Structures are given as C-alpha cells and as structure tokens.
Amino acid sequence: MSAMKWWGWGDDTVSFTHEDKPGLPPFLKHAIGVDVTRDVSRPVAFAQLRIPDSGVTASLWLALERAVGGDGLSTDAHDRVVHARGKSLRDLARHRRGELGRLPDVVVRPADEDQTAAVVLAAVEADAVVIPFGGGTNISGSLEARADETRPIVSVDVGRMNRVLEIDEISRLARVQAGVFGPHLESQLGARGWTAGHFPDSFTHSTLGGWIATRSSGMQSDKYGDIAELTRGLRVVTPIGPLAIRPVPSRSNGPSVREMVLGSEGRLGIITEATIHVHRLPQCRMILGYLFPSWGDGVAAMRDLAASEVAPALTRVSDAPETAFSFATRKAPTVLDRVKSGALSGYLRGRRGFDLAAMCLSFVGYEGSDRLVTAQRRAVGRIFARHGGLCVGRAPGVLYDQKKFDTPYIRDYLLNRGALADVSETAAPWSSLLTVYDRVMSAAREAFDQLGATGYIMCHLSHSYHAGACLYFTFGFKPSARREPLDQYDVVKSAIQQEFVDSGATLSHHHAVGTEHARWLEQDISAPAVAALRALFEGFDPGANLNPGKIVSDDLPSERVQGTGPR
Ligand SMILES: Cc1cc2nc3c(=O)[nH]c(=O)nc-3n(C[C@H](O)[C@H](O)[C@H](O)COP(=O)(O)OP(=O)(O)OC[C@H]3O[C@@H](n4cnc5c(N)ncnc54)[C@H](O)[C@@H]3O)c2cc1C
C-alpha cells in the first residue's frame, strides 16, 4: 500500500476521473451545477504549509524513547500532518487550505502491548494528551485535538501491531493485533482458509482497532455481523491498568464492559489486541443486481427478506436518485451493452410497466456452498417478485464489487471542482424507515433552498437487521462564493442529522460520534446516558489525557444530568 494522501482520501497514486464515464459530466452539471472541465481548487503544496515546531518536552521525549526506542518516535512534519485528523469533509476541506489545526507534537509507534503501556504511562505522568491512531479514516472528527489544547499531544500509531497471532480453528476465533489494516488481516487469514468478513468501504486504509473504537460496519454485515458482534475478546491498555475481556461467546456478568470498549474512540485506552469471529472462506461468492419499480417496493422487499430465513451476506437497495448516480458512473458501454440495455429498458417500460425515472437498483450478495447459494437465490427471487423486483444478473454486481473501494476518491475530485459532497447515515426500525427517509430528504432540500444552492441527495438502505436497517444518505452541492463553504456545509449536514434524531432514528449507524455528531448525542440516548458515559471516561482516565472531547464534549459539567430525553 502506498502512502495515504495528507490532504485527501487513499493512495497517493490513485485519483477519480470522469474520463472513462461518459454519463458523469452531464449528470454532475445537472445535479449540482459542476462543470467537470473546470478544476478550480487545488490543495496547497505541502512545502507551503505552516507547521509549528513540536512542543514535546525533553523529559517526555526521553520517557517515550525509553518506551519504544528511537525508531518508534517521529516529529517529522508529514507524519504530524497525517496524524492530525481523519477524513471527514471538514477535515479534508481545512487540510487542503493549509488550516491544520492543533497538530500532534510527536507520533509514537509501539511494537507491542508492553511498549504501549509504557507510552501511556509516560504520557500520563507528563500530563500529555494521548490520541490512538489506526488508519486515520474516521469521518466523525474522532482524531483532531482541541485547538486550544496546551498540553503536549502524543499520537499513538498502532500500525506496528499488525499480526494475526493465533487461530482457534475449533472455536472459529482469531486473536489479532489491533493495528492490522483490512487487506493485511484478510491476507493473513486467507492464507489459512479463513475470513473475518468485515469489509467497510474504507477497508483498504482502516484498522481492526479503529473499527472496534468506532463500532464499524462492513458491507457484508448481514451475514458476518457488525464489528460489535464479531469482536469477542479484547485487550486494552488504560491509564488505570491493562483491561482484558476473555473471548467467551456470551456472558452474564453485569453491564457489558466489552460493549463499553466498542465505540470508545480512544477515550478508555489503546486497544492492542482483539479476538474476533472468523469463517471459512466461502466456496461460492456472487453479487446479483435487481431492479424495483420504486423505492417503496425496494424497501418492502428488503424488509420481507430480513423477516425470512434466507440470510444472504449483503442486502442493499438504492433510491431513484442513487440509481441514477450509479448509472451515470458506468464506464463507456460497448455496442453489445447498448443493445442489451436498450432491450432491457424496452422490456421494463413496455412489459413490466416500470417508470425508469423511479426505478431502484438493488444488490444482494450470496456466500456459502454452491447448494446454499442456489437455494438462497431462488428464495430471494420469490420474495422480490412479490414486490415487482427483477433480477438483472451478475454484471451490475461485478461492477459494484470493483467500484466499491474506488468511489471514495470522488470527494477529492469534487472538492477540486469547488463542490462539497458528504454522507450521513442512520438506523431506524422497519416501521418508520420510509418516514425517516421522506423527512430527511425534505430537510436536506429545504437546506439547499435556504442556501440558494443546487443540491443533490440520494440514499440507500443497507445493513438489514431483525428490527430495522441502516439508511445511508449521500449529498452534494456547490457552495456560494459569498459565504464560508464549511458554514454552508454545516447547514445541510446539521439539517440531516437533526432530522435523524427528531424522527426517532439514531445519530449514526456506523460512523461513530467523535466531535462531528456529539451535538446530537443527548437527544439520541438521553441525558442520564450521557452522564454515565462521562463518568465512565472519568473513571478510566481521571486526568482526561485520552482523546479528550470526543463522544462527550468535556465543556459540559458531569453533574448535568437534567435535560430532554430521546424523542
Ligand atoms: C471513504 C470512506 C468510507 C468509509 N466507509 C465505512 C464503512 O463502510 N463502514 C464503516 O463502519 N466506516 C466507514 N468509514 C469510516 C471509517 O473508515 C471507520 O470509522 C473506521 O472504523 C476507522 O478506522 P481507522 O483505523 O481508520 O481509525 P482512525 O480513524 O485512526 O481512528 C478512529 C477513532 O478510533 C480510535 N482508535 C483507532 N485505533 C484505536 C486503537 N487501537 N485503540 C483505541 N482507539 C483507537 C481513534 O483514537 C479515533 O478516535 C469510511 C470512511 C471513509 C473516509
């Protein structure tokens, strides 16, 4: 893997282009008023960044050097800039402009749990701030230090702890170091015939520890579970000593400490190791595309599928705007493709009565033995037929599988063209999903109107559960030059997030709280729950050294437990 861009998403050598996607330029022009030929904004050159000297004291440096050795410490400018933030739109927009915020003073790379413990001890003794760093891909403001932080900041990059230590083949559990990146985890497991089955869109650049610390979800969560389900055992270095959760399948020993570590965003300690579920590599894997006449039909089909016993690995349906976007990002079709798609459009309109503008694209992923996959495909076909669904074969699924790790590069491409694009996602019960969807779409459109901007919002349903599913919204618009772009972004993002909690959904299904979503936490989980979280953080970290200000902002006094509960 080549180095991650300091100013954007992904490998330095890869970028998004419209050159091979003839439908995209007219789509972007119409949807958000972007002329793709006009590259209007570029990140400042690294050499032009104003990087303050590291504020690490001589005594802290010595203590850290004793902990990890000289080669595990860095005050290199690029290292400090990369470790300062994650990859939220706000992070990218400010980094590109050279507004770096409060940089870490030193990046430390411990090689094992003992070194990690020595780092935490040294930092806490020096009253420094410790910010654990995995892949730096979070989009929730979970890494950035407070701008007014006066204590030295130690970014603890866990990337050297990257090995699968042991596979218990009988229990189907793997003991894995927390700094392993997705591809390296899968290659180590795959070499022995196993998979963890956790594939977030950020898979290539995110780590096991980061997934756990943000309660991540992968695209095949319908089969394998979210990281919260597939994490059994944990080892965490905390300021009050090592925390160890045994990897038992279930337990009845009070409120779950395992659950407290999940989603803790570095506030309790540094996760050094986890024991996770693993599965045998599937004999057969396939993603099929389906079309539904409308969003309502697609959602109803997903609900019926979740209520059935079929349990495919991946279920997803896009609304009509996202379906239009997917078609616009297709590569140039061959003559045969054109003939086929003309015939399909004719069939859908003429024989099936589809309104092509309302049509919704869906994917279902199947994994397992050949026999299981065949039986699942038949069962899904029967359920979808009840809702007007039509299987369109493997081609769209193959394309989706290929594109899924490339699409993230589009945000930088749009920023270069003066447009802002981002995501907000939530989860809600089946009975209210369509209402949440309608209310969020209206709220976003009102926000675009308020800004006088041509905006686009689209959505898909994914990650289905017994009781509901995740709704994942993507929005984009071109901000006016007369007002700070990030203020305009906040108008849209806040309108969407507020509508989530106002309509009974949650502030995020899998992107964590960080600082980005902390404003809505009390409305989501109630004031006593926020007070309990604050007390938890204070209990583990009495000096507020560990990633302060994330999840629960520390400017609110802990005794404040009055207030509105979740609506
Ligand atoms: C393009 C894109 C696509 C994405 N797609 C998905 C997706 O499909 N599903 C999904 O769930 N998320 C997705 N995300 C969000 C992000 O990838 C996840 O939040 C991911 O889990 C973060 O992992 P990381 O290793 O990059 O953590 P980081 O960003 O480095 O850290 C995130 C938080 O976890 C803490 N942390 C990291 N490692 C440790 C550790 N070892 N111990 C304690 N705390 C730690 C950090 O202090 C920070 O608070 C996406 C993000 C982007 C930019």
Side-chain angles (χ1 to χ4, degrees), residues 132 134-138 142 200-202 207 210 213-214 216-217 265 271 408 510 547:
T137 68
N138 76 84
S142 303
D201 291 356
S202 57
T207 62
T214 58
S216 157
S217 190
E265 298 188 32
I271 303 160
H510 60 261
N547 210 5

Side-chain angles (χ1 to χ4, degrees), residues 44 104 157 224 261 313 349 411 475 536 544 552:
V44 298
D157 185 323
Y224 296 99
V261 176
R349 257 195 313 252
R411 274 190 314 169
F475 58 93
L536 176 71
V552 170

Side-chain angles (χ1 to χ4, degrees), residues 9 86-87 131-140 142-143 158 178-179 198-202 205-219 264-267 269-272 408 411 472 510-512 547 550:
W9 172 254
K87 299 293 175 189
I131 305 183
F133 186 96
T137 68
N138 76 84
I139 50 176
S140 40
S142 303
L143 283 172
V158 293
H198 186 74
F199 299 103
D201 291 356
S202 57
H205 292 84
S206 54
T207 62
L208 174 62
W211 300 336
I212 294 168
T214 58
R215 294 191 80 107
S216 157
S217 190
M219 65 189 76
S264 56
E265 298 188 32
R267 292 216 55 172
I270 302 180
I271 303 160
T272 52
R411 274 190 314 169
Y472 189 107
H510 60 261
H511 284 158
N547 210 5
K550 311 302 168 350

Side-chain angles (χ1 to χ4, degrees), residues 93 95 116 123 128 131 150 154 161 175 254-255 258 261 265 273 393 405 412 454 461 463 507 522 546 557 564:
H95 252 47
T116 308
I131 305 183
T150 52
V154 181
M161 293 184 272
R175 196 158 71 80
R258 186 188 72 95
V261 176
E265 298 188 32
E273 194 182 300
F405 299 138
D412 300 322
T454 309
L461 178 158
H463 312 286
L507 60 78
E522 186 172 306
L546 284 166
T564 52

Side-chain angles (χ1 to χ4, degrees), residues 505-546:
T506 183
L507 60 78
S508 169
H509 167 262
H510 60 261
H511 284 158
V513 186
T515 49
E516 195 64 53
H517 302 137
R519 276 181 274 172
W520 292 279
L521 188 65
E522 186 172 306
Q523 293 171 65
D524 188 342
I525 65 172
S526 81
V530 174
L533 285 179
R534 189 170 286 119
L536 176 71
F537 301 151
E538 284 172 4
F540 271 95
D541 178 28
N545 299 102
L546 284 166

